[in-house]
C-alpha cells in the first residue's frame, strides 16, 4: 500500500465511525423523546408528524428551517474545526455578539456604498472584531495553558454584557425604544430576501458553502493535515515539526471569525438592528451541532438542518398536539447526550479489543 493511501484510510475510517455514532445517538435521542411525549399523554407519531408538517408543510415553513440553520452551520463549522484540532472552541455565542457589534457599527453609518460592498464591509468588520476576541482564549490556551472552555464561556458573558451596554448606553442605541436596540441599519446594508413573503436570505447558502470548503481544506490541504494530526496525536504533530501553539491560535481565530460572520448575518439579514441578547442560546446550539456531527464538516450540515427542523417544527407540534414547546430543545439535548454516550462506549470497546490483541501477542511471543 502506498504512503498516500495509508494516510487516507485512517481519516475515512474516523469519519465513518463518527457518522455511525452520530446516527445511532440521534436515533436513541428521538426514541427517548418519543417516550417523554408518550408520558405526557400524546401519541409520539402524531407529535412527530406535526413537527414535520411544521418544518416541511409549505415553502414558507421550509424557508424558516433554512433561516434557522444559518447560524448553526457557521457556528457549527467553527466548533468542528476546533474538535478536529483537539481544541474546544465553545465561544461561538460571544463571537456572534462581537460580530453583531462590528456589523452594527458599519451598518448604522449610512455609508454611500453599493449594497454588495456595504454588506461585504459589514462581514469583514464583524469577522475582524470576532477574530480579535477569539485570539484571547486562543493565546491563553496555547501559550499560558488556560482551559479554553472556561475562558470562552467567561468571555461569552462579557460579550453579552458589552452588547447590552451598546444598545442601552451609547450613541448607537435607539433612544426611547420599547426594547433595548440599536439605531436602524441602512437599507443598502440589508442582505437580499431570496423569496418574496419569506425571511429567506443567503445566510444558509453561505454556511453550506463554507462547510463544504472546510471539508476539502481538512481533507486535502497541508493546513488540514496539520489540524487533524494535532487533534489525533499532538506529540506526533510536534515531532513532525508542526507549530502546535500557533496552529491552536489560528484554529481559535478562524472559529471566532466564522461565529462573527454568523452574528453579522443574523443582524443584517434578519433583524436589521442589533438587539439585546439577540442570539441567546444559538451559539451553544452550534456547539451541540458540531458534537453531534463528530467534528465532520459534512456532518455539521446534516446536524444543523436536523436541529433547525426540530426548532422550526416544534411550535407547530406544540399547537397541534399540546406537547410543550420546549420539547424540541429536550430532544436536541437527548441526541447530544446519546451521541456522546455512544462515542464513549465505542472508545471503551476499541480499548478492550486492543488490550485483548496485546495479550494474545504476548502469549504468542511467550510460546
Amino acid at each position: 500500500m502506498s504512503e498516500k493511501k495509508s494516510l487516507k484510510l485512517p481519516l475515512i475510517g474516523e469519519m465513518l465511525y463518527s457518522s455511525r455514532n452520530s446516527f445511532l445517538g440521534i436515533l436513541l435521542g428521538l426514541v427517548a423523546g418519543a417516550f417523554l411525549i408518550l408520558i405526557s399523554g400524546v401519541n409520539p407519531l402524531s407529535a412527530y408528524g406535526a413537527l414535520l408538517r411544521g418544518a416541511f408543510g409549505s415553502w414558507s415553513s421550509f424557508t424558516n428551517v433554512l433561516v434557522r440553520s444559518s447560524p448553526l452551520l457557521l457556528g457549527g463549522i467553527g466548533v468542528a474545526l476546533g474538535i478536529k484540532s483537539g481544541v474546544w472552541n465553545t465561544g461561538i455565542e460571544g463571537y456572534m455578539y462581537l460580530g453583531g457589534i462590528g456589523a452594527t457599527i458599519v451598518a448604522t453609518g449610512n455609508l454611500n456604498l453599493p449594497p454588495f460592498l456595504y454588506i461585504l464591509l459589514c462581514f469583514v468588520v464583524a469577522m475582524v472584531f470576532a477574530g480579535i476576541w477569539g485570539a484571547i482564549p486562543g493565546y491563553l490556551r496555547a501559550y499560558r495553558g488556560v482551559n479554553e472552555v472556561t475562558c470562552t464561556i467567561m468571555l461569552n458573558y462579557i460579550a453579552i454584557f458589552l452588547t447590552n451596554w451598546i444598545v442601552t448606553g451609547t450613541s448607537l442605541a435607539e433612544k426611547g425604544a420599547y426594547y433595548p436596540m440599536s439605531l436602524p441599519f441602512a437599507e443598502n446594508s440589508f442582505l437580499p430576501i431570496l423569496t418574496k413573503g419569506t425571511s429567506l436570505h443567503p445566510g444558509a447558502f453561505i454556511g453550506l458553502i463554507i462547510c463544504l470548503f472546510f471539508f476539502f481544506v481538512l481533507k486535502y490541504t497541508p493546513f488540514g493535515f496539520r489540524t487533524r494530526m494535532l487533534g489525533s496525536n499532538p506529540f506526533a504533530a510536534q515531532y513532525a515539526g508542526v507549530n502546535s501553539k500557533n496552529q491552536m491560535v489560528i484554529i481559535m481565530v478562524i472559529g471566532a471569525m466564522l461565529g462573527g460572520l454568523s452574528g453579522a448575518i443574523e443582524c443584517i439579514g434578519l433583524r436589521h438592528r442589533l438587539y439585546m441578547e439577540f442570539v441567546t442560546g444559538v451559539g451553544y446550539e452550534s456547539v451541540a451541532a458540531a458534537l453531534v456531527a463528530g467534528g465532520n464538516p459534512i456532518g455539521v450540515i446534516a446536524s444543523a438542518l436536523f436541529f433547525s427542523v426540530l426548532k422550526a417544527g416544534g411550535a407547530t407540534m406544540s399547537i397541534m398536539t399540546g406537547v410543550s414547546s420546549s420539547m424540541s430543545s429536550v430532544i436536541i439535548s437527548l441526541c447530544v447526550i446519546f451521541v456522546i454516550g455512544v462515542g464513549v462506549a465505542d472508545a471503551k470497546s476499541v480499548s478492550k479489543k486492543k488490550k485483548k490483541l496485546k495479550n494474545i501477542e504476548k502469549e504468542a511471543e511467550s510460546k
Side-chain angles (χ1 to χ4, degrees), residues 49-242:
L51 186 147
L52 291 174
R53 282 194 294 275
F56 302 107
S58 66
W59 174 245
S60 178
S61 300
F62 182 61
T63 59
N64 187 26
V65 172
L66 293 177
V67 170
R68 286 175 176 269
S69 70
S70 171
L72 298 181
L73 287 166
L74 291 166
I77 188 62
V79 179
L81 291 173
I83 291 175
K84 284 297 183 185
S85 66
V87 177
W88 288 99
N89 196 354
T90 54
I92 299 299
E93 186 100 354
Y95 307 146
M96 292 180 73
Y97 281 102
L98 263 293
I101 292 170
T104 299
I105 291 172
V106 177
T108 55
N110 293 308
L111 304 178
N112 188 21
L113 291 173
F116 176 78
L117 291 179
Y118 209 157
I119 291 168
L120 188 61
L121 182 61
C122 288
F123 285 169
V124 170
V125 173
M127 293 172 73
V128 169
F129 271 47
I132 294 171
W133 196 257
I136 298 171
Y139 170 80
L140 292 175
R141 167 66 176 84
Y143 292 95
R144 292 293 180 265
V146 178
N147 183 278
E148 70 274 20
V149 175
T150 304
C151 188
T152 49
I153 290 176
M154 292 173 69
L155 284 171
N156 285 349
Y157 285 103
I158 298 174
I160 292 169
F161 294 136
L162 179 62
T163 304
N164 293 350
W165 170 69
I166 285 174
V167 297
T168 55
T170 68
S171 59
L172 292 175
E174 180 75 75
K175 307 303 179 186
Y178 65 93
Y179 186 82
M181 65 180 74
S182 72
L183 296 169
F185 291 176
E187 288 190 13
N188 52 338
S189 71
F190 295 178
L191 279 178
I193 297 300
L194 302 180
T195 305
K196 288 183 179 180
T198 70
S199 57
L200 181 63
H201 55 70
F205 304 101
I206 293 172
L208 178 65
I209 291 169
I210 289 177
C211 285
L212 293 173
F213 171 76
F214 277 108
F215 170 76
F216 286 103
V217 165
L218 284 174
K219 191 172 182 182
Y220 296 112
T221 67
F223 174 82
F225 181 74
R226 290 195 301 270
T227 300
R228 290 186 285 110
M229 183 187 292
L230 182 63
S232 18
N233 194 329
F235 299 107
Q238 289 181 0
Y239 184 77
V242 175

Side-chain angles (χ1 to χ4, degrees), residues 25 29 291-292 330-344:
L291 278 171
V292 169
V330 172
I331 294 172
I332 289 173
S333 302
L334 288 169
C335 290
V336 173
I337 290 170
F338 279 114
V339 167
I340 294 172
V342 170
V344 170

